[in-house]
Amino acid sequence: GENVEQHPSTLSVQEGDSAVIKCTYSDSASNYFPWYKQELGKRPQLIIDIRSNVGEKKDQRIAVTLNKTAKHFSLHITETQPEDSAVYFCAASEAGGGADGLTFGKGTHLIIQP
Amino acid sequence: GAVVSQHPSRVICKSGTSVKIECRSLDFQATTMFWYRQFPKQSLMLMATSNEGSKATYEQGVEKDKFLINHASLTLSTLTVTSAHPEDSSFYICSVSSFGGTQYFGPGTRLTVL
């Protein structure tokens, strides 16, 4: 089955700086890669996703890049703000038809230092 | 995205009893729902895929006789934890999959088994 590795486990950055979280996956059949933000005790919230036919996607301060050959994808957050502090999870699945569950990375605790 | 609710949000039960958790898709007819479990400070682990009108598909290592899943309609899936034990204490989260694989999560149910 799929295996998703995520690094780092904890990331502390100064407010206003950029944060980068990296993930690798093992199953070449995976073609859908979402990123979720989870605050303590709450549900994961989708912040951005990318499909295998695209190399990069951007939404305001958030961007995701995908390298299918190397089987890795990254989350980039620019101009970080205190409200960006949370746990971020990457995930992967074969998303054709929406019938596949997600395999998650172990998460990154992002801390924004004021 | 899809709006997903769960009930109850918290439940405390005695060891050996059974607990039912409901997951509802409020604005989307979901032929597929997913159940995940999240232990404290850990990632989400897929337990099973719930298919409307048919048997659920369980991930390796998840006991189907212990975690009973029923998906009787396009808007409701239930997870029953039978003969619960303290090691079953966890955060149980369902998700609804829209076309193309995007998953939207419910608010989760915190189960504590005494």
Side-chain angles (χ1 to χ4, degrees):
Chain A
E2 176 64 277
N3 181 50
V4 178
E5 299 283 341
Q6 182 172 349
H7 299 280
S9 57
T10 303
L11 178 60
S12 181
V13 302
Q14 289 294 124
E15 181 179 352
D17 288 351
S18 295
V20 180
I21 302 171
K22 298 182 178 182
C23 289
T24 60
Y25 62 99
S26 62
D27 189 348
S28 57
S30 289
N31 56 18
Y32 175 63
F33 308 93
W35 287 87
Y36 287 87
K37 175 183 180 182
Q38 187 179 32
E39 297 176 357
L40 190 62
K42 297 191 176 180
R43 77 183 83 192
Q45 292 196 311
L46 179 70
I47 56 171
I48 197 166
D49 57 9
I50 192 167
R51 299 179 192 277
S52 59
N53 58 346
V54 175
E56 184 174 357
K57 184 176 178 181
K58 190 174 181 180
D59 182 4
Q60 299 183 336
R61 296 188 296 110
I62 295 173
V64 57
T65 58
L66 171 65
N67 183 326
K68 278 198 68 180
T69 304
K71 294 195 193 122
H72 66 72
F73 56 113
S74 301
L75 177 71
H76 304 251
I77 305 174
T78 60
E79 300 173 19
T80 54
Q81 301 167 3
E83 53 265 36
D84 294 330
S85 294
V87 179
Y88 291 79
F89 292 99
C90 63
S93 81
E94 283 187 67
D100 292 313
L102 295 170
T103 301
F104 283 85
K106 291 190 175 181
T108 296
H109 186 193
L110 178 61
I111 301 165
I112 307 302
Q113 302 279 5
Chain B
V3 180
V4 185
S5 70
Q6 271 184 251
H7 178 81
S9 57
R10 291 178 180 270
V11 58
I12 300 173
C13 69
K14 293 182 179 180
S15 186
T17 60
S18 294
V19 174
K20 180 186 282 188
I21 302 169
E22 293 185 347
C23 176
R24 291 185 185 275
S25 176
L26 300 182
D27 61 349
F28 180 78
Q29 292 191 321
T31 55
T32 303
M33 294 184 180
F34 301 94
W35 287 96
Y36 295 83
R37 180 168 54 184
Q38 185 176 32
F39 291 109
K41 296 187 178 181
Q42 293 189 25
S43 187
L44 289 85
M45 295 292 292
L46 178 66
M47 298 176 66
T49 301
S50 173
N51 303 299
E52 188 266 337
S54 64
K55 291 183 178 180
T57 305
Y58 291 82
E59 295 300 301
Q60 192 172 9
V62 178
E63 301 175 56
K64 62 180 182 180
D65 294 330
K66 180 169 182 64
F67 298 99
L68 301 179
I69 291 172
N70 184 282
H71 192 155
S73 77
L74 289 172
T75 59
L76 174 64
S77 176
T78 61
L79 169 68
T80 301
V81 184
T82 62
S83 186
H85 292 286
E87 57 266 31
D88 298 323
S89 297
S90 188
F91 194 47
Y92 291 87
I93 315 176
C94 68
S95 73
V96 167
S97 180
S98 67
F99 182 77
T102 302
Q103 290 192 26
Y104 298 94
F105 287 87
T109 297
R110 176 80 56 193
L111 171 64
T112 303
V113 185
L114 302 177

